[in-house]
Amino acid sequence: MPNTSNELLRVAAARADFLDSGDPRSDGVKDVVAASWKRSHAAGVDAYGAQSAFTEDIDPGSLLARCAAPVLEQLANDTADMPLVIALTDNRARLVRRIDSSSAVGRVLDRVDFAPGFTYAESTMGTNGIGTVFEAGRPISVVGPEHFTEQLQPFACSGAPIIDQATGRVEGVLDVSTLTHNWSPIMHALVKSAVADIGRNLLIDRSQAQQAVFATYLRASTRWPNHAVLAFGSSFFIANNPAQQLFTASEQLVIREHAEFLTTRRNEVTDTLALPDARLVHLRGTRIMASSQVAGVVVIAEIVAARLTSRPDDFDDERLPRVAVATPASPSIIDGLNHPRKLTGSRSPTWIRAWDSLHKALTDQRPSLVLGETGTGKFTMVAELFHSIYANARSININSSSLSTSEPADSSPAVAFAFESFRAQLERNSVPTLLVFRNLDQCTTESATRIDEFLTTLRQSSLAVWVVATLSDSSLNSPLPFRQLLTHFAVSITLPPLRLRAIDLPEITEATLQSLAPDRQVRLSPEAERIIARYSWPRNISQLRTVLEHALRRRPVGEIQSEDLPAYCQSTVCRNLTPLEEAERTLIVDMLRETDGNRVATARLLSMSRSSLYRKIKLYGVVT
């Protein structure tokens, strides 16, 4: 480490040469620092005025923060007389917690936004003791002029990755910073020792969570030895002998998906589902919590009878009626429903349950909320099911997020005009009419007031109108304006995400391909099918359609190959990535394809260490 004036001067001169020529001198500059300078320059980091990005969605109560807390407090006590600042980041290089052993150093660091919520990713702030640790995948010290950006050169920092030994993923970085002239190799040793302790705490916490699930599973298996008992967590799945004898592997997956769906918000659930082989299974599920995290679910399954006879059939392609126009302003807020759609018959018990519930609600003319993640097919199910029940009906599709008015705050006259215009149209053409308020959770306070008054007036009338609203189920715990509208609805139905409908995925994929290319000979290769089956589909069916459109542009006829699919499909990560992460994942997949999966060659092309590449492959769930 450069800890003498001459060494620091040599590094500073090498940095100046690099900024002028793009080629750092090898003498006096560590390889890891030189590689980081190249990455920082390629990322467009401003060497003279980089700005850290701020976000409010950090989680100070996360598993990592909880496991790190006692270690950080002990480290702070041990270094109380040293001019240090201790920082913990999450897995996106964002500071989660900062402890100042020296208030003087802390005040100086405040000037460079070294505080909770700010990111110190290398692509944002250049070479530093946090972002470069993520890139290198190992402990790093960055002293003075080794920093790429000028404003960080007064500092020296030592950082080390915090690795979850249960998953092998880097969960964050522990960093100790001071002023350059105060740096000592002891900081490097302190950080390495502390991250080892945090890693052990993570392992213990994970083990305790898994032990809690396993203990519940053992109690259930002992109490009901002749019943099928299944237990699963994020990284394991257990089924006792009766479960393995009664259910195939695919049926166990259906049970698991259904139990995960049911226990999203409740700790204890009881339900009956129909398996694809015509059996009814009664489920009792218990969600196991570890602190605020879901550790897993234990399910007791019992076959009770042959399945019910009612089942939704496939919908045929049909052209939906033209949209009705309620007011002169409606064309700007109402989308037409005059394009063909198709709902594929499902074998997923959760989807069938939702279909049955919505069918009954529409038959009984009960105002309904249809919930689900983006792209699950909420609107498609509502529209097609309604028009399959009521022949010659018509639909009005209102985008709640676009509904607004230029009227004064007291909008009653505008609402009254809209309702009277709407009533006049219905009386001229008395047919069943469906009102769908799409994205109800995105409406503004003003829109919510208009919708509230309109629905109140509608409820007091005798018009043949069915009201349905769609919204994201993740918005229910928010205080958004749409909550004042919930009193207008009598039924709520939740659609499962595509990742919990593995049994339906082949049919959905085939139907989507046929709708996109009805007159072409198109099929998926076995490898492409496997990639589609492994992907988590965070944006559900709408994303599947986008993927297949992309593949058809690359191969309009014939057998679609794995390389025809977007790069992000070569990933099993379940969370939504940031745009920067998506771009990096795409680049990694493209380079792996170009090198036929050669990781050493890929790391060289990306100017990235092999350990950093391996870590990012794991982080993004890239399938190689």
Side-chain angles (χ1 to χ4, degrees):
M1 304 298 169
N3 56 1
T4 68
S5 297
N6 288 337
E7 289 173 333
L8 293 174
L9 284 173
R10 281 199 298 271
V11 173
R15 175 181 173 274
D17 288 345
F18 172 76
L19 294 178
D20 288 338
S21 65
D23 185 20
R25 295 201 315 242
S26 59
D27 56 324
V29 181
K30 296 175 293 185
D31 290 342
V32 67
V33 171
S36 176
W37 286 354
K38 290 181 179 179
R39 289 192 301 268
S40 301
H41 179 70
V45 177
D46 185 349
Y48 303 101
Q51 295 292 321
S52 177
F54 178 77
T55 179
E56 295 182 352
D57 64 345
I58 60 170
D59 184 5
S62 67
L63 171 66
L64 173 63
R66 188 172 68 248
C67 292
V71 180
L72 297 182
E73 290 164 6
Q74 183 62 49
L75 182 60
N77 290 333
D78 293 342
T79 60
D81 297 329
M82 301 175 68
L84 301 176
V85 166
I86 302 165
L88 175 72
T89 80
D90 61 13
N91 59 9
R92 293 168 59 184
R94 302 176 302 181
L95 269 71
V96 175
R97 186 177 179 188
R98 193 182 97 176
I99 301 176
D100 295 355
S101 296
S102 165
S103 59
V105 176
R107 285 195 297 272
V108 180
L109 283 169
D110 285 340
R111 298 175 184 173
V112 292
D113 295 331
F114 193 78
F118 287 93
T119 179
Y120 262 71
E122 192 180 73
S123 59
T124 301
M125 294 298 291
T127 307
N128 68 85
I130 293 172
T132 305
V133 170
F134 277 104
E135 296 297 331
R138 62 183 177 88
I140 295 292
S141 289
V142 181
V143 181
E146 290 182 332
H147 288 93
F148 182 79
T149 60
E150 196 167 274
Q151 70 262 44
L152 297 183
Q153 294 193 7
F155 306 103
C157 45
S158 294
I162 301 169
I163 299 174
D164 185 344
Q165 298 176 41
T167 64
R169 291 194 295 264
V170 176
E171 296 293 339
V173 164
L174 178 64
D175 173 88
V176 175
S177 297
T178 187
L179 299 179
T180 299
H181 62 273
N182 290 327
W183 185 84
S184 166
I186 195 174
M187 291 171 53
H188 198 72
L190 284 173
V191 169
K192 289 177 65 176
S193 175
V195 297
D197 291 339
I198 297 172
R200 279 192 291 272
N201 288 350
L202 281 170
L203 184 60
I204 291 171
D205 196 285
R206 297 279 193 196
S207 298
Q208 289 175 340
Q210 293 185 5
Q211 288 170 11
V213 178
F214 190 61
T216 306
Y217 165 78
L218 287 178
R219 286 197 299 270
S221 297
T222 302
R223 185 174 180 182
W224 295 283
N226 298 321
H227 286 67
V229 181
L230 307 97
F232 48 86
S234 59
S235 58
F236 65 91
F237 182 81
I238 314 170
N240 66 357
N241 286 334
Q244 295 179 38
Q245 293 169 4
L246 287 173
F247 308 115
T248 66
S250 62
E251 289 170 341
Q252 292 176 36
L253 177 60
V254 169
I255 292 171
R256 173 176 182 162
E257 290 175 344
H258 192 67
E260 284 183 336
F261 178 75
L262 293 174
T263 55
T264 302
R265 296 187 180 89
R266 291 179 291 168
N267 288 336
E268 303 283 341
V269 296
T270 301
D271 198 18
T272 301
L273 77 151
L275 293 177
D277 70 348
R279 291 181 295 172
L280 280 182
V281 179
H282 182 69
L283 300 181
R284 284 174 286 163
T286 300
R287 181 174 64 175
I288 313 300
M289 304 294 294
S291 298
S292 60
Q293 307 289 322
V294 178
V297 178
V298 176
V299 176
I300 301 168
E302 181 182 9
I303 297 175
V304 293
R307 63 151 291 148
L308 297 173
T309 57
S310 63
R311 176 171 180 163
D313 297 323
D314 288 0
F315 285 108
D316 294 329
D317 287 335
E318 63 175 316
R319 186 167 296 276
L320 298 180
R322 295 192 62 183
V323 66
V325 179
T327 73
S330 294
S332 64
I333 60 171
I334 298 180
D335 299 327
L337 300 181
N338 57 351
H339 53 287
R341 294 176 178 267
K342 181 174 182 176
L343 276 180
T344 302
S346 174
R347 291 182 291 161
S348 164
T350 310
W351 183 269
I352 293 172
R353 176 72 55 79
W355 191 98
D356 289 335
S357 299
L358 182 59
H359 187 282
K360 186 176 190 310
L362 292 175
T363 303
D364 296 342
Q365 200 175 354
R366 303 186 73 192
S368 304
L369 289 172
V370 179
L371 298 84
E373 295 180 5
T374 300
T376 49
K378 301 184 291 293
F379 174 67
T380 301
M381 174 183 271
V382 170
E384 301 247 353
L385 184 50
F386 179 77
H387 289 285
S388 74
I389 299 172
Y390 302 102
N392 301 319
R394 62 177 174 176
S395 306
I396 300 178
N397 167 27
I398 301 177
N399 189 341
S400 305
S401 63
S402 302
L403 188 62
S404 62
T405 179
S406 58
E407 297 291 326
D410 182 7
S411 59
S412 298
V415 173
F417 171 75
F419 183 80
E420 290 306 319
S421 178
F422 178 63
R423 178 198 293 274
Q425 288 199 31
L426 287 186
E427 289 176 348
R428 286 196 301 270
N429 185 9
S430 182
V431 297
T433 300
L434 172 68
L435 271 179
V436 183
F437 290 91
R438 297 181 73 175
N439 307 315
L440 191 68
D441 49 322
Q442 297 179 22
C443 68
T444 63
T445 301
E446 179 186 12
S447 299
T449 300
R450 294 190 66 195
I451 295 172
D452 182 35
E453 294 176 350
F454 186 91
L455 292 179
T456 298
T457 308
L458 179 64
R459 190 169 53 197
Q460 296 167 353
S461 72
S462 58
L463 298 176
V465 177
W466 285 249
V467 177
V468 176
T470 67
L471 65 156
S472 170
D473 54 359
S474 63
S475 64
L476 290 179
N477 295 325
S478 68
L480 294 173
F482 80 93
R483 295 190 65 85
Q484 72 182 75
L485 304 173
L486 297 183
T487 56
H488 292 285
F489 299 91
V491 177
S492 65
I493 298 137
T494 304
L495 302 192
L498 188 57
R499 63 180 174 275
L500 297 182
R501 297 178 61 194
I503 194 171
D504 292 334
L505 189 56
E507 288 80 7
I508 293 173
T509 302
E510 182 180 355
T512 305
L513 264 180
Q514 289 300 313
S515 69
L516 292 173
D519 301 322
R520 298 186 227 160
Q521 296 294 319
V522 183
R523 61 190 180 280
L524 293 172
S525 70
E527 179 60 24
E529 288 179 345
R530 283 192 289 272
I531 289 174
I532 285 177
R534 285 194 299 252
Y535 188 55
S536 58
W537 302 111
R539 291 184 289 280
N540 296 289
I541 297 174
S542 61
Q543 187 179 23
L544 174 64
R545 187 178 184 89
T546 300
V547 164
L548 295 177
E549 286 175 342
H550 178 278
L552 287 170
R553 284 194 295 270
R554 299 192 63 171
R555 196 177 300 270
V557 294
E559 188 175 72
I560 293 174
Q561 303 299 316
S562 59
E563 60 266 23
D564 299 324
L565 302 174
Y568 60 76
C569 289
Q570 304 272 3
S571 166
T572 57
V573 65
C574 292
R575 66 183 177 89
N576 283 321
L577 301 180
T578 65
L580 183 61
E581 289 174 326
E582 287 187 352
E584 185 174 50
R585 177 181 60 184
T586 298
L587 182 61
I588 290 172
V589 171
D590 288 343
M591 291 299 100
L592 284 168
R593 286 174 174 172
E594 185 173 321
T595 61
D596 293 326
N598 187 319
R599 297 188 179 189
V600 175
T602 298
R604 186 167 57 251
L605 287 173
L606 294 172
S607 298
M608 185 183 294
S609 68
R610 280 180 289 172
S611 59
S612 182
L613 176 64
Y614 297 160
R615 177 178 59 79
K616 289 180 181 295
I617 286 174
K618 283 186 177 181
L619 175 66
Y620 297 143
V622 175
V623 180
T624 59

